[in-house]
């Protein structure tokens, strides 16, 4: 069972890619990318987990605590979440602008740039 | 200032000197031309295989240049244009193809 | 202060990007002066770092340490974030500096105030900071962060003109691709961290054993970076982005794409150069490169939109660089060295010629309001300088001697021929096709009878084009001088510099 988080995160990534390939709504595409991001973040944060470990805050550690989880992957995950927020916000903003111009969110119809 | 590739070399200065030499030869040939042609007669018109130039002569837009070439490649080009569909799902699909190919190559090599 | 040059080159444009928007509310003159100061300082820092890296060897700068050289603990384990600039990073920094300065010179008279001038200027500086960070960092996670900074800034720059319908569409598509590529890189960073508990590129490079997980990480990294470098078939965002971005931003976008090629070089030769140096990876990159060249050139044949036509030309040039990188990774020495010299030299040549062409396209769009080849024509009567610059850039792009494009392509052809004659023949064929394409674009836009009035570009824009034209001619006439001074250190850093890179960071 120790590898379960990795399996789940890879399933999330697959689900996200499947969304991107099969869905046509621009908002759903942004959601698909967000799902992949969640999968990757879960992967990162589960890398640093130690069984029975406590939160890596030295001053708040209870006296009998033996092990802490790795702090670095948590820092990485926080950064990745912030970056994910920025990209998702930007994509949604572009989706809104595209909707205003074309009156549709169907990616099959938003194909002015082709060939 | 030459750069070598192990087999050949490229010297731009030599090239420029040669090009100037060839231009000078062309100029020398041009100087041999007749100065006594009559203005305003057919002697001033360009010679195009004996064809008469049409007077109106519509402008040739850039899109018409190499028309025959593009026409000959039409089957290939139309397929390529269809390949660039502009649909985001296709973009992602091809990214996955590149990813799988690179994973396979790295795993197998 | 010069010892802090690497971090200043990243921090100052970041500061400038955000402070600029505040200043723009106060006074526009103040904003312009501030932008000039920021860019002058940043490029001076990039040049200072480059001079140090070329003369003294690898420059290491450690953040959060009393002394910049304390990058590892007593046990030899890296705990701090480092910036490492070797010959290759310094060379890429020079390209970024050139692109940024020229873009700024062009910028001031290109956009009107109501077209989001402050916003575009701020995003341009942000993108610049991202590129410099990407090429200077010695830490894998920071590499991902800078990759995302360039992605976000680039896509915002492509799509911020929301009053038109095409730019937001291009920006959405590019954003989707860039984000996915970045996430693939992040997964691979996670795998490497989980395996070796470190993010420092030098330490990882020493520790990597070539296990199955390492191969997985390399494959994911290559997939993401090849997309970002515009390799067919994951190149489709590139013509959209280049064709629709404001002309002034395109040269920086091209520098950004070249930073991805830098990243491929760094990953293949430095990070995995010890354990996973199989020629198969080189063949993969070379075959994707030649496909990119051919597909992009053929697509350029059918374009009617002048910007998109030049954009496909730019993608084909990226293919030449990938081809050279691939051949270099196949051989690693001998003719591979020639290939890498050609490929790395081609980066700066390509930035100059593609940048010049896009500047002219921007001037044409500004003067006539159209970039459709069917409706353009006869612009040479009024836009004399622009016509000359377009011809110069087009010939350099197609690799006509004695311009700079030929000098680098000559090295690529010769070395590719020794790896595989078929690849070399295809590359030559594509170059001939490209000449046909650009001649067609030149004829369509600038020759023929005058069909419409057009106002020539203001002097600031012409000066920016003139700088690039000068680069094209000087690099073309004296390639040996520049190869010896700036390209050769970069090639040596790629091929044999791995030991020096590791020693500079880890000590001993």
């Amino acid at each position: 069972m120790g590898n379960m988080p990795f399996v789940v995160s890879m399933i999330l990534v697959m689900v996200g890619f499947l969304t991107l390939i099969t869905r046509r709504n621009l908002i759903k595409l942004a959601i698909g990318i967000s799902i992949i991001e969640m999968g990757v973040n879960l992967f990162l944060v589960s890398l640093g987990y130690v069984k029975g470990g406590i939160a890596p805050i030295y001053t708040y550690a209870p006296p009998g605590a033996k092990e802490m989880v790795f702090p670095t992957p948590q820092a990485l995950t926080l950064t990745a979440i912030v970056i994910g927020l920025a990209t998702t916000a930007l994509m949604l903003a572009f989706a809104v602008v595209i909707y205003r111009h074309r009156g549709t969110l169907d990616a099959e119809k938003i194909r002015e740039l082709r060939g | 200032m030459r750069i070598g590739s192990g087999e050949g070399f490229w010297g731009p200065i030599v090239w420029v000197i040669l090009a100037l030499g060839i231009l000078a030869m062309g100029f020398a040939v041009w100087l041999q031309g007749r100065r006594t042609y009559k203005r305003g007669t057919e002697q001033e018109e360009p010679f195009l295989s004996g064809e008469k130039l049409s007077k109106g002569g519509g402008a040739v837009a850039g899109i018409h240049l190499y028309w025959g070439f593009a026409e000959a490649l039409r089957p290939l080009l139309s397929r390529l244009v269809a390949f660039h569909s502009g649909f985001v799902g296709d973009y992602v699909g091809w990214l996955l193809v590149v990813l799988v190919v690179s994973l396979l190559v790295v795993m197998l090599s | 202060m010069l010892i802090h040059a690497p971090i200043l080159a990243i921090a100052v444009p970041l500061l400038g990007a955000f402070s600029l928007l505040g200043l723009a509310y106060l006074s526009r003159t103040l904003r312009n002066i501030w932008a000039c100061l920021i860019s002058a300082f940043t490029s001076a820092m990039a040049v200072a770092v480059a001079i140090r890296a070329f003369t003294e060897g690898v420059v290491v700068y450690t953040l959060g340490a009393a002394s910049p050289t304390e990058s590892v603990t007593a046990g030899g384990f890296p705990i701090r974030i480092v910036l490492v600039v070797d010959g290759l990073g310094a060379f890429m920094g020079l390209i970024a500096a050139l692109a940024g300065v020229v873009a700024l010179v062009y910028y001031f008279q290109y956009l009107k105030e109501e077209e989001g001038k402050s916003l575009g200027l701020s995003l341009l500086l942000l993108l610049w900071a991202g590129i410099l960070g990407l090429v200077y960092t010695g830490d894998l996670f920071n590499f991902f962060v800078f990759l995302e900074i360039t992605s976000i800034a680039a896509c915002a720059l492509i799509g911020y003109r929301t009053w038109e319908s095409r730019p937001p569409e291009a920006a959405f598509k590019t954003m989707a691709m860039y984000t996915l590529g970045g996430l693939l890189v992040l997964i691979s960073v996670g795998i490497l961290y989980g395996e070796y508990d470190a993010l420092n590129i030098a330490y990882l490079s020493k520790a990597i054993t070539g296990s199955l997980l390492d191969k997985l990480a390399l494959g994911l990294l290559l997939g993401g970076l090849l997309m970002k470098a515009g390799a067919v078939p994951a190149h489709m965002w590139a013509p959209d982005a280049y064709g629709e971005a404001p002309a002034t931003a395109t040269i920086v976008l091209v520098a950004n794409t070249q930073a991805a090629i830098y990243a491929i070089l760094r990953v293949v030769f430095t990070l995995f150069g010890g354990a996973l140096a199989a020629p198969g990876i080189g063949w993969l990159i070379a075959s994707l490169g030649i496909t990119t060249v051919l597909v992009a050139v053929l697509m350029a044949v059918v374009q009617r939109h002048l910007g998109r036509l030049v954009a496909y030309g730019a993608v084909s040039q990226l293919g030449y660089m990938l081809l050279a990188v691939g051949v270099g990774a196949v051989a690693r020495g001998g003719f591979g060295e020639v290939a890498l010299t050609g490929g790395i030299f081609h980066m700066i040549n390509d930035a100059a010629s593609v940048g010049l062409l896009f500047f002219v396209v921007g001037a044409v769009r500004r003067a006539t309001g159209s970039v459709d080849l069917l409706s353009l024509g006869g612009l040479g009567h009024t836009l004399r300088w622009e016509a000359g610059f377009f011809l110069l850039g087009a010939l350099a792009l197609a690799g006509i001697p004695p311009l700079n494009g030929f000098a680098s392509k000559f090295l690529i052809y010769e070395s590719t021929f020794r790896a595989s004659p078929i690849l070399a023949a295809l590359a030559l064929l594509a170059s001939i096709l490209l000449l046909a394409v650009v001649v067609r674009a030149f004829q369509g836009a600038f020759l023929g009878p005058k069909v419409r009035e057009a106002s020539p570009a203001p002097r600031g824009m012409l000066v920016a084009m003139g700088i690039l034209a000068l680069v094209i001619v000087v690099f073309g006439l004296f390639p040996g001088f520049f190869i010896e001074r700036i390209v050769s250190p970069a090639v040596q850093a790629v091929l044999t510099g791995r030991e020096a890179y590791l020693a500079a960071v880890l000590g001993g």
Side-chain angles (χ1 to χ4, degrees):
Chain A
M1 290 303 282
N3 286 331
M4 209 58 202
F6 302 119
V7 175
V8 171
S9 62
M10 284 310 120
I11 288 175
L12 277 175
V13 172
M14 301 282 171
V15 168
F17 271 114
L18 206 63
T19 316
L20 282 169
I21 291 171
T22 55
R23 299 291 141 168
R24 289 163 35 175
N25 188 309
L26 291 189
I27 305 282
K28 286 184 184 166
L29 294 181
I31 293 175
I33 288 183
S34 280
I35 294 176
I36 300 178
E37 266 165 23
M38 292 310 126
V40 178
N41 287 341
L42 181 63
F43 171 67
L44 276 183
V45 85
S46 53
L47 276 177
Y49 183 69
V50 178
K51 199 169 183 185
I54 57 161
I57 306 169
Y58 191 69
T59 46
Y60 287 106
K66 286 233 159 54
E67 284 175 319
M68 289 180 175
V69 300
F70 272 124
T72 318
Q74 301 196 353
L76 304 189
T77 314
L78 274 178
T79 317
I81 287 173
V82 173
I83 291 172
L85 179 76
T87 53
T88 312
L90 198 59
M91 285 189 72
L92 289 176
F94 285 133
V96 170
V97 174
I98 291 171
Y99 183 77
R100 281 192 191 149
H101 278 289
R102 314 278 169 81
T104 175
L105 280 173
D106 188 347
E108 282 278 5
K109 289 184 186 134
I110 302 167
R111 292 177 10 179
E112 198 180 339
L113 300 169
R114 62 173 160 182
Chain B
M1 297 308 282
R2 305 197 307 192
I3 52 174
S5 67
E7 290 186 351
F9 74 92
W10 162 238
I13 303 297
V14 179
W15 190 90
V16 167
I17 292 169
L18 278 179
L20 285 179
I22 290 168
L23 274 180
M25 279 163 64
F27 186 66
V29 170
W30 181 79
L31 280 181
Q32 305 300 312
R34 282 158 57 181
R35 288 155 198 271
T36 56
Y37 69 93
K38 295 188 184 74
R39 288 181 189 277
T41 61
E42 83 287 347
Q43 286 181 352
E44 264 203 330
E45 285 180 5
F47 182 75
L48 287 176
S49 321
E51 300 267 344
K52 283 265 187 262
L53 281 182
S54 62
K55 277 294 169 204
V60 183
I63 202 85
H64 300 131
L65 215 59
Y66 300 110
W67 173 84
F69 176 75
E71 199 61 28
L73 284 175
R74 179 68 48 203
L76 176 62
L77 288 178
S78 58
R79 242 170 251 164
L80 270 181
V81 170
F83 168 66
H84 292 78
S85 63
F87 173 49
V88 188
D90 290 354
Y91 286 36
V92 176
W94 286 112
L95 169 62
L96 280 181
V97 170
V98 171
L99 178 65
V100 168
V101 168
S102 68
L103 275 175
L104 277 180
V105 169
V106 173
M107 291 287 172
L108 294 180
S109 65
Chain C
M1 191 166 88
L2 278 183
I3 200 161
H4 300 294
I7 189 65
L8 284 176
I10 303 167
V12 169
L14 261 183
L15 170 78
F18 291 105
S19 59
L20 201 94
L21 287 177
L23 273 182
Y25 280 105
L26 293 177
S27 150
R28 280 171 186 161
T29 327
L30 208 61
R31 176 202 67 190
N32 291 352
I33 294 170
W34 184 236
C36 289
L37 281 177
I38 294 279
S39 68
F41 187 77
T42 309
S43 42
M45 286 298 116
V47 171
V49 172
I51 290 172
R52 251 184 85 196
F54 289 155
T55 52
E56 297 169 21
V58 184
V59 177
V60 180
Y61 184 84
T62 312
L63 297 157
S67 152
T69 47
E70 287 177 11
S71 59
V72 287
T73 60
F77 188 79
I79 53 164
R80 296 189 180 93
I81 290 171
V82 288
L83 302 177
V84 186
V85 190
D86 61 355
L88 184 63
F91 179 77
M92 296 306 297
L94 286 182
I95 292 184
L98 173 74
V101 167
V102 175
L104 210 75
V105 172
Y106 187 84
Y107 192 85
F108 284 114
Q109 289 182 313
Y110 172 63
L111 281 187
K112 299 185 190 72
E113 283 298 340
E114 63 271 20
E115 290 176 322
K117 202 167 177 176
S118 311
L119 197 61
L121 205 51
S122 167
L123 288 170
L124 205 62
L125 286 177
L126 190 60
L127 179 56
W128 202 15
I131 296 172
L132 283 170
L134 193 63
V135 298
Y136 284 172
T137 185
D139 181 280
L140 211 51
F141 188 73
N142 274 38
F143 173 78
F144 162 75
V145 172
F146 284 118
L147 196 71
E148 290 291 317
I149 290 179
T150 58
S151 302
I152 292 171
C155 294
L157 202 51
I158 295 161
Y160 81 90
R161 291 176 303 158
T162 48
W163 53 91
E164 288 176 37
S165 74
R166 289 164 70 101
E169 182 186 335
F172 186 91
K173 291 173 178 173
T174 311
M175 190 82 229
M177 295 298 275
Y178 273 5
T179 312
L180 287 178
L183 287 173
L184 295 179
V185 171
L186 183 58
I187 297 177
S188 139
V189 171
I191 291 173
L192 288 176
Y193 181 80
E195 210 179 350
Y196 300 109
D197 287 341
L199 292 166
N200 186 302
I201 291 178
Y203 183 82
L204 279 176
S205 173
K206 203 173 186 178
I208 279 171
T209 52
S211 65
L212 189 67
L213 274 177
D214 292 337
K215 287 184 175 175
L216 191 63
L218 176 57
L220 287 167
L221 269 175
L222 275 183
L225 292 175
L226 281 171
M227 183 282 301
K228 189 113 199 241
V232 167
H235 68 293
M236 295 174 188
W237 60 269
D240 298 356
Y242 292 168
E244 299 309 323
T248 179
T250 319
I251 184 169
V252 190
L253 286 180
V254 169
N256 182 20
T257 314
Q258 290 175 351
I261 293 176
Y262 156 84
I264 293 175
L265 280 170
R266 180 64 79 218
V267 164
V268 171
F269 285 92
T270 307
L271 186 57
F272 290 91
L276 286 172
I281 300 161
W283 284 117
L284 167 76
I285 299 174
S287 48
L288 282 177
I290 196 71
T291 325
T292 309
V293 171
L294 289 172
V295 169
V297 165
L298 283 173
M299 283 305 291
V301 171
V302 293
Q303 295 304 317
R304 272 179 51 185
H305 183 287
L306 187 57
R308 232 173 135 72
L309 188 148
V310 178
Y312 272 111
V315 176
S316 75
Q317 300 310 300
L318 296 170
Y320 279 105
M321 289 170 223
L322 286 174
L323 178 64
V325 170
V327 172
V330 169
R332 298 187 190 244
F335 65 86
E337 188 177 342
V338 179
L340 283 173
T341 309
I344 292 174
F345 190 36
H346 199 58
M347 285 191 193
I348 197 156
N349 294 340
D350 168 69
S353 55
V354 170
L356 182 59
L357 285 178
F358 276 115
F359 280 0
V360 177
V361 173
V364 167
R365 192 198 292 251
R366 190 176 180 282
T368 64
S370 165
V371 278
D372 188 352
L373 277 178
L374 264 186
S375 69
L376 290 177
L379 288 176
H381 293 282
T382 41
L383 307 181
R384 291 217 181 83
W385 281 100
E386 286 88 335
F389 286 141
F390 190 89
L391 191 61
L392 188 73
L395 294 181
L397 192 73
I400 300 299
L403 300 173
N404 62 357
F406 179 77
S408 46
K409 278 188 186 175
F410 160 75
L411 295 175
I412 298 177
Y413 297 146
E414 290 262 331
S415 51
T416 310
F417 185 80
R418 284 157 78 178
S420 151
I422 298 172
L423 288 188
L426 288 175
L428 261 172
L429 179 73
S431 201
I432 297 165
L433 260 175
L434 189 64
L435 180 64
V437 169
V438 290
V439 164
R440 177 167 172 265
F442 178 72
Q443 201 267 353
F446 293 100
L447 300 186
K450 194 171 170 181
V451 291
R452 63 166 88 204
E453 287 303 319
S455 53
R459 193 166 292 147
M461 287 163 70
L462 288 179
V463 167
M465 295 183 215
I467 297 173
L468 288 180
L470 196 69
V471 168
I472 288 176
V473 172
V474 172
F475 276 48
L477 287 182
F478 307 101
F481 179 80
F482 291 102
I483 284 181
E484 198 181 309
R485 297 291 147 84
I486 58 176
V487 179
S488 181
V491 175
Q492 291 314 319
V494 172
L495 274 180
T496 55
R498 185 169 164 269
E499 309 302 324
Y501 187 97
L502 299 195
V505 180
L506 302 174

